[in-house]
Amino acid sequence: MARRLQPTLGEIGEAARALRAGKLVAFPTETVYGLGGDATNDRAVAAIFAAKGRPSFNPLIVHVLNIPAAAQHAELSAKAQAVARKFWPGPLTLVLPRRRDCKISLLATAGLDSVALRVPAHNIAQTLLMMAGVPLAAPSANPSGRLSPTEADHVLADLGDKVEYVIDGGPCPIGVESTVLSLLDDCPRILRPGAVTAEQLSELLQEPVATETGTEDANAPRSPGRLLSHYAPSLPVRLNAIAAEAGEALLGFGPGAPRDAVNLSAAGDLQEAAANLFAMLRKLDDPRYRAIAVMPVPETGLGRAINDRLRRAAAAR
Ligand code: TXA
Ligand code: MG
């Protein structure tokens, strides 16, 4: 069973040593908990895929300390630098051309000539990156296709027998995964919606930013977060519910939700709702119920990321 570490310098240092030795460590970020391994170590990266049961054609996000560290692995165009300066550290992943001398394991990038990089804003993640001194491949610390973890207990329950340590940083403040932005072509494209919105990116770049909300072929996905069925609890999920039907649990949103519903945000606050999303879905994913009914969430700002995850949770499996 994994050991739970407290976020002291001593214990984060112990986790950093384990990472350098090729072991896996789960750690908190501002979005969700990541399942981290040394991105330059093929065996550590292979262990991440094995622990998650993730198909190896689905590339991983690599976490780095800052923009200069990112520039060691990827080509940063002027556009990429502008976006990085504005939104890093933060909940944004950039898909960029891989540098020819990039030391990141080819397994982590699934043999692609691109790499997905992110500078996390969480103190513990920053300290761990600094102490480990290597880039960290870290997908969300959940079995492939299931709900992402936003608390250390979620990781211990799902992957406790597969990691060395889980650093307990309490609940993740944002609660949904980072926005994934591809800057590979002339037109910037969002491959996965998150806390950094198309509007914010478009305003900075002074050009339209497309969101590819479409789903794709499971045999050749560009972004596994885009697979139709993903982020799924065990129970079926019914969207746009007005009330619970017999045997259903109800996940509400806003002041109009019934008193007895579990409410993503009684105040109708999308940030609060995102932070609660995965933990509340987990709580309702209980065999006492036959399904989870979810009330509508507005399709604006963070609501787009929330609805993206809910649609995938509700998709046929
Ligand atoms: O918030 C997050 O991003 C979390 C925390 C732990 O940082 N990490 C996370 O990683 O969600 P992961 O590996 O579960 O999600 C990776 C996403 C997927 O949608 C993947 O397909 C996409 O990034 N991705 C990775 N490399 C890519 C590439 N070269 N081209 C296109 N998409 C890529
Ligand atoms: Mg994931």
Side-chain angles (χ1 to χ4, degrees):
M1 195 63 185
R3 217 180 99 204
R4 186 195 302 261
L5 297 182
Q6 295 309 314
T8 60
L9 278 186
E11 301 219 328
I12 298 174
E14 191 170 341
R17 276 192 298 281
L19 286 164
R20 279 201 304 272
K23 303 275 191 345
L24 304 187
V25 172
F27 61 93
T29 78
E30 72 276 32
T31 58
V32 300
Y33 276 74
L35 174 60
D38 176 355
T40 64
N41 178 333
D42 289 321
R43 290 178 61 181
V45 173
I48 294 176
F49 281 104
K52 279 185 66 87
R54 174 149 163 170
S56 57
F57 52 72
N58 282 351
L60 307 177
I61 292 177
V62 176
H63 297 66
V64 291
L65 193 55
N66 49 30
I67 297 178
Q72 291 175 10
H73 309 297
E75 308 282 356
L76 269 72
S77 63
K79 214 181 266 190
Q81 289 185 38
V83 174
R85 276 200 298 268
K86 171 88 178 168
F87 294 106
W88 280 353
L92 177 71
T93 296
L94 297 180
V95 178
L96 301 166
R98 214 186 132 103
R99 271 177 65 140
R100 286 180 59 181
D101 59 353
C102 175
K103 302 250 171 21
I104 289 167
S105 159
L106 286 166
L107 191 54
T109 54
L112 299 171
D113 48 17
S114 57
V115 58
L117 297 176
R118 169 160 123 76
V119 177
H122 199 289
N123 261 336
I124 297 173
Q126 286 265 339
T127 306
L128 184 65
L129 279 165
M130 199 142 52
M131 292 181 113
V134 291
L136 296 178
S140 50
N142 55 291
S144 185
R146 308 315 297 257
L147 296 173
S148 297
T150 54
E151 296 173 21
D153 283 342
H154 300 163
V155 183
L156 286 164
D158 286 356
L159 297 176
D161 54 344
K162 305 216 164 69
V163 298
E164 197 76 4
Y165 298 123
V166 179
I167 307 178
D168 191 344
C172 300
I174 293 178
V176 292
E177 302 81 352
S178 62
T179 303
V180 178
L181 178 71
S182 168
L183 292 174
L184 294 178
D185 321 314
D186 289 339
C187 308
R189 283 173 302 124
I190 289 180
L191 304 181
R192 181 177 73 182
V196 174
T197 63
E199 290 79 3
Q200 286 174 294
L201 291 163
S202 178
E203 190 187 318
L204 175 78
L205 294 171
Q206 291 294 302
E207 65 179 305
V209 173
T211 303
E212 297 193 347
T213 50
T215 51
E216 39 184 69
D217 185 351
N219 295 313
R222 268 179 301 183
S223 216
R226 303 173 69 206
L227 292 177
L228 187 49
S229 174
H230 209 80
Y231 312 109
S234 305
L235 290 177
V237 173
R238 182 170 70 86
L239 300 181
N240 293 317
I242 298 162
E245 289 171 6
E248 283 183 338
L250 184 63
L251 183 61
F253 175 82
R259 282 271 175 93
D260 58 348
V262 169
N263 202 326
L264 286 168
S265 168
D269 178 309
L270 289 168
Q271 252 159 306
E272 183 183 15
N276 282 332
L277 178 67
F278 289 125
M280 287 186 172
L281 280 171
R282 268 172 198 268
K283 185 169 148 195
L284 297 179
D285 193 17
D286 184 307
R288 286 187 288 149
Y289 304 112
R290 64 172 178 81
I292 303 171
V294 187
M295 293 178 68
V297 174
E299 186 77 9
T300 54
L302 251 183
R304 281 219 228 129
I306 296 171
N307 285 324
D308 171 79
R309 306 309 188 270
L310 284 171
R311 277 192 291 272
R312 289 171 212 278
R317 303 167 203 163

